[in-house]
Structures are given as C-alpha cells and as structure tokens.
Amino acid sequence: MDVAATRAPMRLVTGLAVALVILAGLAPVLPSYVVILMTEGLIYAIAAASLDLLLGFAGLASLGHSAFFAVGAYTTAILVTRHQASFGAALAASIVLAAVASAAIAILVLRATGIYFMMITLAVSLCAWGLAYRWVSLTGGDTGIVGIPRPRVPWVGLASGTLSFYYTVLALFVVCLALYLLLIWSPFGKTLVGIRDSESRMRVLGYNVFLHKAVALVVAGAFAGLAGSLYAYYNGFVGPSAVDLAHSMQFVLMVIVGGPGTLVGPLIGAFAITFLEKMVSVFTERWVMVLAAAYVVTALWAPRGMLGLLRAAR
Amino acid sequence: MKKHLVLALVALVAAVVLVPAAPAAEKPPIKIGFIAPKTGNFAQFGLDMLNGFKLYLSEIDYMIAGRKVELIEEDEGATPANAVTKARKLIEHDKVQLMGGLLMAAAAYAVAPVVQEAGVPLVITVAASDDLTQRKASKYLARVSLTGGEHGHVAGDYAYRKLGWRKVAVIAMDYGWGHEVTGGFQRVFEELGGQVIQKIWTPVITTDFGPYVASLKPEADGILDVVTGAASIRLIGELRKAGVLDKKKVLAAGTATDETLLTALGDTALGVLTFLPWSQALDTPENKRFVERIKQVTKKDYVGFSGAINYGAAMWIAEAIRQVGGDVENKEKFFQTLRATEIKSSPRGPIKIDKYGHIIQNIYIRRVDKVGNLYQNTVIETYPSVSQFWKYNPEEYLKQPIYSRDNPPCRHC
Amino acid sequence: MEFWVNQTFNGVSYAALLFLLGGGLTLIFGVMKIVNIAHGSFYLVGGYLGVALVAATGNFYLALLGAALAVAAGGVILERVFLRAVEGDDLRQMLLTMGIALFFQDACLLVWGGDPFNLRGPAYFAQSVKLGGFTFPILRLFMIAAAGVLFVVLWWFQEKTRAGAMVRAAIDNAEMTEALGINVPILKMAVFGLGAFLAGVAGVVGSAFMGIYPGLDFEILPYAFVVVIVGGMGSLSGAFVAALVLGLLDNFGKALFPEISYFTLFAPMAIVLAFRPTGLFGRA
Amino acid sequence: MTGHAGDGGATPAVQCEGVTRWFGGLEAVSQVSLSLAAGERRAIIGPNGAGKTTLFRLISGEMPVTAGRVRLFGRDITTTPCHRRTQLGLGRTFQITNLFPTLSVLDNLVLAALGLGRTKFSMLRPLWTYPEPRARALETLDTVGLADKRDAIVRTLSHGEQRQIEMALALLTCPRVLLLDEPTAGLSPAESALMTRAIQQLDRSITILLIEHDMDVVFDIVSRITVLHLGRFFAEGSPAEVRQDPRVQEIYFGAGEVTAC
C-alpha cells in the first residue's frame, strides 16, 4: 500500500463527498423544477461518465453510446409495463441486456480505430434508431412505450414524488460513482489509459488490447443501461428519440464540455448541458443559440473542458 | 470565465426561485401552461400554434370571468422527453390550472399520464393520434384538434360516394398519423365496396419519392396521399412530374396542402383534394374575421391550420372558464364543464366534445385552386359534426385494435 | 422495362445528390481528419441563400454560383478563425462544429422563419424530355449533369494538377506533406472552402429538388456521413462509387421491397464496415 | 540464403523461415530467413528501407506475415497474436520512443509490470494496494537510475530519459528474447555509451536482436551481424567479416551513410 499514491484520490473523494452532501441537502429547499432537472442531470451524469470510460480513458470516441442507454430504457419500459417487473428486476435486466448488446457490438466496432471507430459507432447509432423505430411489436414504434410508473423502492415505497425519486436516483448515482472511482484507480483502469496513450506498446507489453477494449465497452454499456433504465422511470416513457444520433452526440458533448478522461468533468458536463437546455429555454426561445455559443466557447477556450477551467482557476 | 458561468447559473436558479414570489393580487391569475415546439424542425408550427392561441387571449385582454390569465409558454423541443420535463415544470413549479398545446403525438402520449397523475386538465390542441381519446382516453384529457382515423373515415366515404373510386393506391408516412388516416379510410372505403389495392409506407424522412411514385399501381382509380410537412412538397412535386396528377385525382390528408406550404407547392398542387376541419378560404364571417386578425400578427398572406385550430381551442377553453365563473380551482367541476362546453361558431365552425374527450366538428373537403396570384384550399364539400367513431357504435369500435400498418390488412394488394 | 429504366434513372439522379452531399465532406475528412457536424449547415445555408438569390436575381445559375461561393467564403472564414485554433484535437473540433451547426440552425430559423421554401429553378426544370419512349424529368437530368461535371473537374484537379497532388499527399500523410514544403495550413483552408462550396452547390440543387426547411441540416447529415463512410474517408472516387451504389440500392430497395425502406442506406453501410472498416476506397 | 548460427543441436531462440511481407505492390521484406541461438546477440543492419523495422514487427507479431514462418524456441508463432508472443518471452523496444506520455514514470513501469499477470483485469481494487508490480517497477526504476523522476509525467522528460524508460519497459516483461530497435537513436555520445553498457550488462541468457546504425554500438554488443538490403537477406557474418565484405561496403559503407549520429 502506497500512502503517497492515495493523496490525490483522497482529495477527490473528499471533494465529491462535499458535492454529494450539497446535492442531497439542497434538494428540499430548491424549487421543484430545479430538483427535476437535477434528477435528469444525475441520470445523464451516470451515462456521460460511462462514455468517459471509453472516450476519455480508453480513447474510444463512441458516437453510438445511446444505443446501450436505449437498450436499458426499453428493457425497463417493456418489463415494467408488460410484465410488472419490480424496480430491482428491471434495473438488473437493463444492466445485463445493455452489457450483452455492448459485447455483441464490440466485436463489430473494435476492428476500427480512431476516426474510423467514430464512424462505425455512428453507423451503429443510426441502425439502432432504425430498429427502435421499425420493430413496432417490441418498441411501440414512433410513439414508443408509455405509462411507466415511478419505481417502488425497497424501504422507501413508491418513489412517486419529485424528491423521493430524486433521492432514489442520487443513491444509485453514489453507487455508480463509487464503482467508477474504483474502476479508474484499478489496474484495469490504468490499462485503459495505457491503451489510449499507445496501443502498440500495450501489445508488446503482453496486453490483449482487443480484450481490454471489449471489456471496457461492456462495462460502459452496463452503466449506460442502468442510466437508461432510470431515464425510463424518470420520463415515464421511452421512444426512438432516446436512441437517435442527437442523443448520442449529446453524451459525447457532455464528456467533451466537462473534460474527457477526468470522470468528474463529464458529471459537470452532464449537469451543465441539462441545465443549459432546460433552464435557458424557460427564459428565451433562442436557447439553441446559447447552447451553440457555449459549445464554441468551450471548444476554443477550455481545451480540457469545464473541469480544466476550474482547475486552472484554482 | 468560471466566475461568469457560475454567476449565470446562480442567476438562472434565482430567477426561477424568485418569479413565483411576486406579490399575489386578490384574485390570483388563472395560470395556463402551453407546450409547443419553438425550436427544431417544428418551430414554425409551434409558433403558429402560439400565435393563434394568444390572438384570442389578446382579444379578450387576457381576462376571463374577471380573472387575469397568465399564459406560460414552454418549448416542446425536438423530443417527447423534453415535453415531459416541461410538463412537470408547469405542474410542479408554476402550478398551472390547465395545460394546453402539444404537437407531436409521442409527446402527447408521454405527457398525458403525467398530467393525469397530477389531476391537471390537459387540452391537446394539435396532436392527432387516435388513442389519446379512445383506448387510452383519460379523465382529465380533452382534445380540440383532430384524429387520423376520423379523417380517414370521411375520406373513405368521399372517395367512394363522390369521387366514384373503386380501387385506390395509398402512399402514406410510416407513423401514427399515416397509419390511422389510412386505416380509417380503408375501413369505410372497403365496407362500402371499394378496394385498397396498394399501401406504400414511406419513412418519415424521405428525400426522394421517385421510387415510390414510379411503383404506384396504374390500375388505381385514385391516390390517397398521407404525407405531411415539407415532404409533401416533394411527393406532390414528384406526382406532378411523373404525370400522375394529370391522369388521376389525388386525395390528401389536409396538412399536405396546409396554407403554409402553398407557396412552396405552387402550381404543382393545383387540383389536389384534401380533407381537414378548416381552410383559410372557409367562407364564414367568423373565419374571415379571424384570418384578417391573424394576418396582422404574422404579416403573411397565408395562415396555417395550426394557428386557426389553436385560436378555436383558446375560445373554447375561455368559454368553459366563463361557465364556471372563473373558479378553476374546483378541478372536478371545471373539468366536467370543460367537457360539456359547446361553441356554436368558431373560425372552423361549431365545437363540442364527446364523452371520450374528443372534439366533434365539421370536416371540409377542399381543393387547391389559384385565385389571382394566391393559392387557396377551396371548400367544396362539408361533412358536418363528424364523430371520431364515424357512424359506428363507440363501444364496438373500441373493441377493435387501433389502426396500424397492418390493420385493416391489405386484402386486395 | 419502363420500370427498370425509370428506377435506374431515379437511382442515378438520387446518387447525384448524394455525391454532392458527401463529396465535400469526404475531402474535408480526408485532409483535415475532422468530423464536420456543420456540413449539413453549409447545405442549409446554401439552400436558403439560393432561394434568396433566385428571388433577387431571377436567375437560377447565378444563384447557384453566388450561394455556393458565399458558403465557400463562410467555410474559409470558419476554418481560419475557429477550426485553426483547435487543430489536431478531434474532439474539440467536433464540439466546435456542433456549436457552429447549432448556431446556423437557429440563425436560419430566425432569418427565414420555419415555413418550407421551394427553390424555383428555370421553367424547364419542371419539364421532361422523352427519349425512346421513356420520360426523363429535366431537373433530375440537371442533377446528374451537375454531379457528373463536378466529379470530373475534381477528379481531374486531384489527379492531374500539382495542387491536386498536394491534396492527395495531405490525405495520405499530412506530416510528410508538411516536410515536403507544402503550405499545409493554406491547403487545409482551401480544402475546407472547397468542401463548403460543394455543400453549397448541393444545398441549391437539393432545394430545387426537395425544398428547404429548418431541421434539414441534421436530416441530411447522416446521408452525407453514409456516403463518406462507405466510400472511404478522403476518397473522391470512393464517394462517387458509394453514392452511385447507395443511390441505386436505395431506389430499388424502396421500389421493390418498401418494407425495408429504413435500412436501404444504413444496412449497406454496416455490411461494408464489417468487412472493410476503412470503407470501399479508404486507406488505413 | 539461410544463415545458421550457433550449434545445430540446441533449439534456436528465434527462427525466421522465408518471412515475407507485402505492402500493396511493394515487397518490404522478402524471403528472409535467419536463426538465432539462445543467448546469441545479433545485429541487423542495412541502409534505410532495408526492411529492418518491418522484420521486427513481423517477429513481434505487430503485423502479420504475408508468407513464411516465425518460430520462438522451436514453437511456431507465425499466427500467434502480439501479446501472446510477449507472454512467451519476446520483448521489444521501439525506434521512435513509444511510451505512455500522459502517465507518470512510475505508472509507465507499473503498466509494464502488470502485463504478464492476472492483476491487470482487476477492476474493484485500487492499483496502489497491489505491492508486487509496484515493487518490481521501483526496482527497475533504480536500475535505470531514474528513481528521482518517478512521479514526473513522461511527456516532460528529456529524450535520453525516455529512451531509458523505453528499455526499462521492455525489461519488465521478463523477455528471453529482446528485439532492440535502435536503442541509441537520438542520444548524445555520452548517453549512447551508457546505453551500450547497459545492454552489454544484460543477463547473458537473454537473446538479443539489435537494429542499430551506430557501428561502434554494434561492435560493442554483438557477435554476429545480418545485413538486409531492399527487404532481402544480403550477407551475414562476424562484425569483422561484414565490415570487410566489399559488397556490404558498396551498398552501405560505401555510400558513406553510416556515421555515429
């Protein structure tokens, strides 16, 4: 055990703990719309962080991440509305199916690298949308699946209120966050960074690069599936727009805006973009302009995303 | 940089917190939430919805039964998820007493349960999917727009009886509206003795209709066209270029030649027949007055369908509020009254609501003509007081599954 | 017989549009190695400018040239002012082009409103020529001609001129090109401008064919991507072949098996990528 | 064509038989056969474009052969993936420094130390709780004399330091055969001498195949030289023999290309 090595992680954990206490403590006094958006922010944060494992850590810029998010969302929607599945069962099934889908896709997409990887995952995203749209008996086609009730949570009961659902999501977010942290500090997490920095070197060091990437895709897919499941509960419905290219792009943008390869950055990015879209649109119909400006400004002046800015300011 | 971002976010949050804290008058205003797309592909549609709705409110100075009306507009955005979030905001944060609007069927389906759970009346002013007021009808929901099925029924009847068609080829968009118009058409048309001999489902985003038009069966007496929006320009243009429009009549679901498309359609659409509960050329005093007023707002020659029906929706809602004396806080009474409210005359004609929450209104058969320099949808036939169940028994009707790609099946293809 | 001739003709003319869309994007991809999300916006702006210029000048060809040049100039400025600043970081480039795309999306809505326009070409665009008993709409013939001429010119430029050789070298290996003393920054700017020019042409021609309305930018973007992906990034001939194959497949797929309409473009792409991750003509 | 070195009885450490690699229409490596006895130290030389690095890639498995066979201690590894060859005892350094630039020196070495174990798949325990790879990394760090740089980010190091880490990474994979691709490339004469000594002092049981342009380095380290020219086997012999071979001088020395750069 190396004490020196734990210093930075401990600082990070302390910072995150403070942030979580604020997120938890502030909710009851905030307007309900803010809490609603925070719930959405948390769900997207789980998804964006899972994409960061690929994009930021392993250097796999996937434009098809919404496919796995959607597998989770549709799984939950179908199990809950047609088979009255419990919260736990729906979550578990969503995670497992998203991971399986991810493994299947991994075989196809991992043949490509760099910009070709981006393009082939883009193709995955387009095909997944087509499937969600056309496989009507399963997905409900363009209207999707509606009427997903809020979950019944162990020890809590029906999390139907804005606050109780928020805390449910927050609790799962904390679990995910803990797992993410363990993952990025773990030997496996380090191998992902190694692959990002130099695949050829990793190979001659004895690493099966394909396998590590595939495992990363599966793990990220599983987390995306979990986020998708919560998203289904959050909206009460799932439709093809959960799978479309714009949604995939949104995940990527959250990671880039926040700061790729930092884990914390995408969390910030997820919150920032969610609030920018849904809060600014309350005040001006030109919110798309505001979002556009935010993207351009971030790209030009915040090379390491918002987290990079925060660090620089310190 | 960072400070600015933080400040901006703080300001946003503060604004949301502080706005409802404004001093309350003796009689607090009636709050109406309105969800319509203001960005994305349907932005213009949403803008027209709001123009129509607000035109009526401004005519009555935003006062109904002595109470001020506060309209809170929210952007439906491009996805149903957006609409749900905004509906939650309107319910929980703004505490609206009534919610209106909604363009996309998927958004309406998604929002309906949320609104239902909160017990807030929802008046859908555009979204047309049948089941919102049929198999998935809910207590607090009313719709004053239209459904695909009801329009299909009318078209089927008109095609068989008036146009004398016996064999029809259908080209329709592959989503709810296309399925339901086609389904309704096929049911009535085939029960009368006609045959649908071809159904072509086109993806919602279709850049080239060439292959579809070229594969239309030549033995069809006429074509049913259920393609809307900008794609309609392409399809009708293609039908014209391929010579189909010179040989056969095309009967199209109304929004295919919506007034907002007429300029872009130009001469290509001349002679196309459509069916819809309104036309800018509808020759009634109420409509003429409305068209004149809305033109002052939009500064355009052409007035879109969505503006007109939303104006009517606002009229109808206001009438209901008047009838309860402004007491919208009594939700049960308000909603019962809402459903019982009738308007004898609006720009599109009389409005009343059936017991499933859907509007009963006139449906007009229109033809695209050129009058002077301008195009118009000339009304050539009126189907008065059409029910969403046509002439069928509602209970029997609802036992059947909703119209879809394969229901009714294409027996003569 | 008529069916096959008609559908082949339709397919080829659709392919022409696809080539105009994807050709510019593939050049930008090849030389600059960026995912240009704003390519659809170039198309959109080109189309709207075309509508405005036709209204102002009454001459379609003038409008075509004017709009495409304006979009090209805009592209050059964007490259110089914005993209240059984030060179070499593909994620930031993507973020930037996304921002630019959103900006133009909203700006177009603001300027031109949300009602669809139809770009009025010359009167003869609405007519057809009859040849051997078959009817060929002139607009579609024009699309084929425009794409064909542009392809031949670009191909000649790329294969036979010195500047074209530089472009080819930059596609293969940017560092080596730099070492050979070629001014790569200027080259990139020019190529980006050229790509934008092609998108502008596509916008004007496309608007005459299928109208123009908000949201079209992100509707056509996947089509442009598909052409580039299938053809292989940076390959003009690849884009040409891919457009032709996809145009015909899409057309016959839709005509013969309308059930699979959704997959006539994306399924071939998935299949090509599964066997050749770099596309038909792409080099790793 | 085949150059037999060492005694015929023992299994060769590395054996190439007619190894060939095409790039498009270009034959980068053509019909090369060579054999290294266990513990042998051999250099491959040849002018630019001789196919030296490509041959390395074919032996290490970074690139598949178009034709021919590769054996490691008698075992046919022609189709064995790169990482498996490493596990079988094949190590390699790169001509162009190939490290993990965004990681610290220590993390670079820890990654190398993890490569052969099972720990690398562990996901739920922080890396710093594993003492073994860390200890090995620190030990190696000491041997290359970079202990004081352990927390520096590799990108910020000097070229010479990066070359040392390049070597350290390869050694951490416990190679029985080591392919060194111009280990002294870009080093100052002093650094070059240090590197040469370090290679000389490697465990004698490690078989070494060396690409090097600096003839002084070559003569200090190896006992035999194979010359490649235009992708083909050209000559082989002791350093003295090769130096005196007029044909080699013609293609190589004669051109005056070889200097202590």
Side-chain angles (χ1 to χ4, degrees):
Chain A
M1 173 89 181
D2 173 22
V3 182
T6 62
R7 228 169 272 144
M10 283 309 125
R11 262 208 310 273
L12 181 61
V13 167
T14 316
L16 285 172
V18 171
L20 285 172
V21 168
I22 294 173
L23 279 177
L26 223 52
V29 297
L30 286 172
S32 62
Y33 185 51
V34 177
V35 178
I36 290 171
L37 292 188
M38 279 161 67
T39 313
E40 189 170 324
L42 287 174
I43 295 171
Y44 276 130
I46 296 175
S50 75
L51 178 60
D52 193 31
L53 293 180
L54 302 178
L55 193 157
F57 286 88
L60 294 166
S62 169
L63 294 181
H65 208 54
S66 69
F68 313 118
F69 184 84
V71 168
Y74 272 109
T75 304
T76 293
I78 291 165
L79 289 180
V80 171
T81 58
R82 295 179 199 163
H83 306 284
Q84 286 74 44
S86 69
F87 185 41
L91 274 183
S94 300
I95 293 169
V96 169
L97 279 180
V100 170
S102 208
I105 295 298
I107 297 166
L108 177 75
V109 298
L110 283 180
R111 284 165 47 92
T113 53
I115 204 160
Y116 293 94
F117 180 81
M118 271 170 140
M119 290 296 102
I120 197 164
T121 51
L122 183 120
V124 166
S125 163
L126 295 174
C127 291
W129 178 86
L131 219 52
Y133 200 88
R134 256 323 260 117
W135 195 350
V136 180
S137 59
L138 188 74
T139 63
D142 63 324
T143 42
I145 299 168
V146 291
I148 304 159
R150 283 286 161 89
R152 192 169 284 284
V153 183
W155 306 300
V156 179
L158 190 67
S160 61
T162 298
L163 266 183
S164 58
F165 186 64
Y166 169 73
Y167 282 117
T168 307
V169 172
L170 185 64
L172 283 165
F173 173 78
V174 172
V175 173
C176 289
L177 189 58
L179 290 172
Y180 283 140
L181 287 175
L182 285 175
L183 187 74
I184 62 166
W185 294 330
S186 73
F188 181 75
K190 202 58 97 181
T191 64
L192 295 186
V193 181
I195 289 170
R196 178 191 71 195
D197 273 12
S198 171
E199 269 187 42
S200 52
R201 171 56 86 173
M202 285 301 274
R203 276 197 201 96
V204 303
L205 289 179
Y207 290 94
N208 184 347
V209 169
F210 178 89
L211 186 60
H212 282 251
K213 283 183 180 176
V215 171
L217 271 175
V218 170
V219 170
F223 278 110
L226 171 86
S229 174
L230 291 175
Y231 184 77
Y233 280 116
Y234 167 74
N235 279 321
F237 94 104
V238 180
S241 60
V243 211
D244 63 10
L245 184 57
H247 213 215
S248 264
M249 279 301 299
Q250 197 176 22
F251 292 145
V252 175
L253 294 171
M254 284 170 176
V255 175
I256 306 176
V257 164
T262 58
L263 186 67
V264 179
L267 308 181
I268 300 174
F271 267 80
I273 290 184
T274 304
F275 273 79
L276 262 180
E277 274 190 11
K278 304 260 161 72
M279 196 61 110
V280 176
S281 64
V282 170
F283 298 97
T284 167
E285 56 200 62
R286 292 272 83 82
W287 63 270
V288 174
M289 232 22 135
V290 177
L291 199 61
Y295 288 163
V296 171
V297 166
T298 314
L300 290 180
W301 290 299
R304 280 154 208 280
M306 290 175 66
L307 187 71
L309 270 191
L310 293 178
R311 281 186 179 153
R314 242 192 5 217
Chain B
M1 184 62 226
K2 164 208 168 195
K3 272 185 194 156
H4 290 166
L5 279 176
V6 172
L7 277 180
L9 276 175
V10 168
L12 280 178
V13 173
V16 165
V17 179
L18 296 178
V19 167
E26 266 176 77
K27 270 185 177 173
I30 297 170
K31 286 187 177 176
I32 299 178
F34 198 90
I35 303 179
K38 292 182 179 180
T39 52
N41 300 12
F42 303 113
Q44 188 64 37
F45 221 88
L47 198 64
D48 288 346
M49 287 166 71
L50 274 161
N51 279 339
F53 201 86
K54 291 200 294 200
L55 176 62
Y56 181 75
L57 291 181
S58 67
E59 282 176 5
I60 55 169
D61 283 328
Y62 285 82
M63 290 291 287
I64 306 173
R67 286 181 74 173
K68 191 94 191 126
V69 173
E70 188 186 332
L71 186 72
I72 304 166
E73 304 167 17
E74 286 297 343
D75 183 5
E76 186 172 330
T79 70
N82 240 319
V84 173
T85 309
K86 290 300 170 63
R88 289 225 161 87
K89 184 227 169 213
L90 290 170
I91 294 166
E92 294 190 26
H93 181 77
D94 300 311
K95 307 213 161 32
V96 297
Q97 278 111 0
L98 181 138
M99 198 166 336
L102 290 174
L103 171 75
M104 289 178 289
Y109 274 124
V111 165
V114 174
V115 179
Q116 168 84 5
E117 197 188 315
V120 175
L122 169 64
V123 178
I124 294 174
T125 63
V126 178
S129 194
D130 284 16
D131 265 357
L132 284 166
T133 52
Q134 291 179 8
R135 292 156 200 88
K136 290 179 183 162
S138 58
K139 190 181 155 200
Y140 287 105
L141 188 151
R143 169 163 53 185
V144 286
S145 53
L146 69 171
T147 73
E150 80 190 0
H151 275 64
H153 298 146
V154 170
D157 188 78
Y158 185 78
Y160 190 89
R161 290 181 199 275
K162 298 284 163 60
L163 295 174
W165 292 357
R166 294 299 177 263
K167 289 184 171 157
V168 168
V170 180
I171 180 161
M173 275 185 162
D174 192 6
Y175 78 118
W177 170 252
H179 301 158
E180 290 165 14
V181 174
T182 306
F185 176 91
Q186 192 183 353
R187 182 168 178 191
V188 169
F189 187 69
E190 293 195 338
E191 279 176 8
L192 286 169
Q195 293 181 351
V196 170
I197 57 167
Q198 187 179 23
K199 287 201 249 183
I200 298 175
W201 301 114
T202 68
V204 173
I205 296 173
T206 297
T207 39
D208 185 1
F209 283 95
Y212 299 121
V213 169
S215 55
L216 282 169
K217 288 189 180 170
E219 63 266 34
D221 300 321
I223 315 280
L224 178 71
D225 156 12
V226 198
V227 171
T228 58
S232 174
I233 303 170
R234 296 175 204 160
L235 174 58
I236 291 178
E238 202 61 43
L239 286 167
R240 176 68 69 191
K241 274 177 218 137
V244 177
L245 268 167
D246 303 327
K247 290 179 224 146
K248 290 174 191 170
K249 284 207 160 121
V250 170
L251 185 57
T255 46
T257 66
D258 189 49
E259 278 74 3
T260 52
L261 301 180
L262 286 177
T263 318
L265 281 165
D267 286 346
T268 61
L270 288 177
V272 171
L273 299 169
T274 58
F275 41 95
L276 208 65
W278 180 78
S279 161
Q280 185 176 346
L282 186 62
D283 195 8
T284 64
E286 291 82 12
N287 192 47
K288 286 194 160 150
R289 210 183 128 269
F290 161 75
V291 168
E292 207 162 291
R293 296 275 330 242
I294 193 95
K295 275 184 182 172
Q296 291 167 0
V297 177
T298 60
K299 315 269 187 274
K300 290 181 188 170
D301 288 330
Y302 293 106
V303 180
F305 164 71
S306 64
I309 61 169
N310 276 277
Y311 180 90
M315 268 179 104
W316 176 78
I317 290 169
E319 181 60 27
I321 297 175
R322 267 180 227 120
Q323 286 186 13
V324 293
D327 183 21
V328 292
E329 278 75 12
N330 186 341
K331 283 183 187 172
E332 290 302 318
K333 186 171 159 232
F334 177 41
F335 202 72
Q336 276 164 18
T337 313
L338 200 56
R339 280 211 170 169
T341 301
E342 268 189 67
I343 297 185
K344 290 277 176 275
S345 62
S346 78
R348 58 178 138 165
I351 296 176
K352 64 180 175 186
I353 303 294
D354 69 17
K355 68 170 184 168
Y356 297 88
H358 185 67
I359 188 169
I360 297 173
Q361 64 192 340
N362 298 345
I363 293 181
Y364 306 100
I365 308 290
R366 306 118 31 107
R367 185 185 59 230
V368 179
D369 289 333
K370 191 170 190 178
V371 178
N373 289 329
L374 296 177
Y375 300 93
Q376 68 173 37
N377 286 304
T378 313
V379 174
I380 55 173
E381 180 96 28
T382 303
Y383 279 76
S385 300
V386 178
S387 153
Q388 61 174 332
F389 302 109
W390 188 233
K391 286 162 180 148
Y392 304 111
N393 175 325
E395 274 139 50
E396 298 282 312
Y397 185 95
L398 290 179
K399 279 182 196 144
Q400 308 201 350
I402 187 170
Y403 297 130
S404 65
R405 270 174 82 102
D406 309 310
N407 177 43
C410 200
R411 283 176 290 266
H412 308 287
C413 293
Chain C
M1 182 61 191
E2 189 183 349
F3 172 84
W4 293 99
V5 172
N6 274 347
Q7 296 292 15
T8 306
F9 177 69
N10 277 349
V12 172
S13 59
Y14 186 49
L17 191 62
L18 287 177
F19 172 73
L20 289 177
L21 266 175
L25 192 60
T26 209
L27 283 177
I28 291 175
F29 254 126
V31 174
M32 308 182 63
K33 309 280 186 287
I34 66 170
V35 181
N36 181 23
I37 308 281
H39 202 70
S41 313
F42 295 162
Y43 175 97
L44 191 74
V45 173
Y48 275 123
L49 285 177
V51 170
L53 285 173
V54 165
T57 65
N59 185 326
F60 173 79
Y61 296 97
L62 217 59
L64 176 64
L65 193 67
L69 284 176
V71 173
V76 167
I77 292 168
L78 283 177
E79 202 279 333
R80 262 232 97 92
V81 178
F82 294 108
L83 283 168
R84 183 73 48 89
V86 294
E87 201 164 347
D89 186 335
D90 45 355
L91 293 179
R92 279 168 75 199
Q93 286 169 334
M94 197 163 74
L95 181 66
L96 188 66
T97 57
M98 184 72 187
I100 292 169
L102 287 180
F103 170 80
F104 279 118
Q105 183 190 45
D106 212 35
C108 286
L109 187 63
L110 207 57
V111 176
W112 282 289
D115 289 333
F117 288 97
N118 203 6
L119 192 142
R120 294 252 178 274
Y124 52 81
F125 271 13
Q127 291 159 1
S128 307
V129 282
K130 289 214 187 312
L131 208 76
F134 304 110
T135 317
F136 302 105
I138 291 180
L139 175 56
R140 283 181 186 265
L141 284 172
F142 171 75
M143 283 158 58
I144 296 171
V149 166
L150 275 171
F151 173 67
V152 170
V153 168
L154 286 172
W155 183 85
W156 170 83
F157 166 78
Q158 215 180 31
E159 299 295 324
K160 305 287 176 201
T161 67
R162 194 177 133 66
M166 291 180 195
V167 172
R168 269 184 296 144
I171 289 172
D172 283 346
N173 191 335
E175 283 152 42
M176 208 187 299
T177 317
E178 191 117 48
L180 289 174
I182 293 168
N183 190 336
V184 172
I186 295 279
L187 188 72
K188 284 187 172 177
M189 195 172 78
V191 165
F192 199 78
L194 182 61
F197 178 85
L198 286 177
V201 171
V204 178
V205 175
S207 300
F209 178 61
M210 58 186 208
I212 188 157
Y213 50 92
L216 191 58
D217 43 356
F218 283 95
E219 261 175 37
I220 55 116
L221 191 61
Y223 293 85
F225 276 131
V226 171
V227 171
V228 174
I229 293 170
V230 172
M233 274 162 256
S235 168
L236 210 55
S237 311
F240 188 78
V241 172
L244 203 57
V245 169
L246 289 169
L248 288 170
L249 265 181
D250 186 59
N251 206 77
F252 280 103
K254 281 173 170 168
L256 296 172
F257 317 101
E259 289 301 299
I260 57 159
S261 292
Y262 287 94
F263 303 101
T264 46
L265 276 179
F266 301 140
M269 172 171 70
I271 292 166
V272 166
L273 286 181
F275 291 100
R276 278 191 65 95
T278 54
L280 292 176
F281 287 65
R283 276 158 295 199
Chain D
M1 288 280 287
T2 312
H4 279 290
D7 54 306
T11 319
V14 178
Q15 202 175 11
C16 297
E17 295 167 9
V19 166
T20 300
R21 170 73 202 192
W22 290 75
F23 289 119
L26 198 80
E27 216 173 10
V29 172
S30 174
Q31 295 284 328
V32 171
S33 299
L34 59 87
S35 176
L36 268 78
E40 187 184 338
R41 298 186 166 189
R42 169 89 61 98
I44 296 183
I45 63 168
N48 281 334
K52 306 179 295 280
T53 297
T54 304
L55 181 64
F56 262 31
R57 288 189 176 160
L58 298 175
I59 297 174
S60 71
E62 290 162 77
M63 190 181 274
V65 297
T66 310
R69 308 223 70 82
V70 183
R71 285 178 216 281
L72 190 68
F73 297 107
R75 174 176 179 158
D76 189 338
I77 56 164
T78 312
T79 56
T80 308
C82 178
H83 66 274
R84 287 281 305 140
R85 299 188 197 195
T86 307
Q87 288 159 9
L88 292 172
L90 191 66
R92 175 203 205 299
T93 69
F94 291 86
Q95 177 193 0
I96 298 164
T97 308
N98 187 352
L99 306 172
F100 308 113
T102 67
L103 293 180
S104 71
V105 172
L106 184 61
D107 279 346
N108 266 265
L109 270 65
V110 167
L111 264 182
L114 281 173
L116 296 180
R118 299 294 305 162
T119 317
K120 60 190 171 190
F121 285 111
S122 162
M123 283 186 206
L124 295 176
R125 224 178 99 185
L127 182 54
W128 61 81
T129 63
Y130 291 93
E132 196 267 346
R134 205 182 126 74
R136 278 189 60 215
L138 285 173
E139 193 185 316
T140 311
L141 205 54
D142 272 337
T143 18
V144 295
L146 285 172
D148 56 325
K149 297 273 187 184
R150 54 171 253 184
D151 292 322
I153 300 299
V154 160
R155 197 174 33 207
T156 64
L157 298 185
S158 73
H159 179 70
E161 289 164 336
Q162 293 193 5
R163 291 310 289 176
Q164 281 172 296
I165 296 171
E166 183 76 35
M167 180 66 81
L169 290 189
L171 291 177
L172 272 164
T173 61
C174 309
R176 290 193 288 160
V177 172
L178 190 54
L179 311 180
L180 301 174
D181 196 346
E182 293 195 41
T184 64
L187 293 186
S188 70
E191 288 171 329
S192 183
L194 276 173
M195 179 65 80
T196 308
R197 194 168 325 129
I199 297 170
Q200 279 174 322
Q201 283 166 2
L202 287 177
D203 190 331
R204 290 301 307 185
S205 69
I206 299 176
T207 310
I208 291 177
L209 191 56
L210 172 78
I211 296 178
E212 187 55 70
H213 278 302
D214 187 334
M215 280 305 125
D216 295 336
V217 174
V218 171
F219 291 140
D220 284 348
I221 295 174
V222 305
S223 51
R224 269 185 100 71
I225 294 178
T226 300
V227 185
L228 293 187
H229 181 47
L230 298 173
R232 291 172 180 275
F233 174 88
F234 190 76
E236 187 174 308
S238 71
E241 285 164 10
V242 168
R243 179 174 268 179
Q244 278 143 31
D245 187 329
R247 292 184 313 141
V248 173
Q249 285 186 347
E250 190 176 328
I251 63 153
Y252 203 159
F253 301 100
E257 278 181 46
V258 177
T259 47
C261 51

